[in-house]
Amino acid sequence: MSSRSTLESLKEKIDKLDSNEHKQIYNIINRLNKSQIQTTKTQQGILITADNLDKETVEEIERYVHFCIDQRKRMDSDMKTRKEYERMV
């Protein structure tokens, strides 16, 4: 189990991701979590109590979130470069 501050930081990062990325995180939880995780379905989505996630699952989610953030930065950088080239032409 991870510390409360680590989970809160992870939650803030997850909140900034899009719905497809949220679905992938849910798939990671279903695939890796050894014990049954309790979920609550709402109109906004599925709520999960992160305190019950094992360490391996939290680490895999962190890797995925960092991957998503890194990809978004790369795409933003690429878009800026493309716009610069368009202005040159």
Side-chain angles (χ1 to χ4, degrees):
M1 207 175 295
S2 296
S3 72
R4 174 66 101 197
S5 62
T6 300
L7 292 174
E8 287 175 5
S9 173
L10 184 58
K11 180 200 175 296
E12 289 174 9
K13 292 174 184 173
I14 290 171
D15 287 344
K16 295 176 183 175
L17 301 178
D18 67 32
S19 63
N20 288 326
E21 293 163 332
H22 288 171
K23 289 175 188 175
Q24 290 302 318
I25 291 170
Y26 182 74
N27 290 337
I28 291 169
I29 292 168
N30 280 333
R31 180 172 45 88
L32 293 179
N33 202 47
K34 306 298 185 248
S35 61
Q36 288 295 322
I37 192 76
Q38 194 171 21
T39 61
T40 304
K41 292 184 181 184
T42 68
Q43 290 180 338
Q44 289 78 28
I46 298 174
L47 304 177
I48 296 171
T49 304
D51 293 337
N52 298 332
L53 297 175
D54 59 36
K55 183 179 177 181
E56 177 187 7
T57 304
V58 173
E59 289 171 353
E60 182 68 22
I61 293 169
E62 285 178 319
R63 282 192 289 275
Y64 179 72
V65 168
H66 289 292
F67 169 79
C68 292
I69 291 169
D70 183 56
Q71 289 302 100
R72 190 163 287 141
K73 286 178 184 176
R74 288 174 189 246
M75 288 173 32
D76 289 345
S77 174
D78 183 53
M79 186 60 75
K80 287 178 185 175
T81 303
R82 288 175 186 231
K83 287 183 179 186
E84 286 177 23
Y85 286 134
E86 287 175 3
R87 279 183 257 168
M88 290 180 186
V89 175

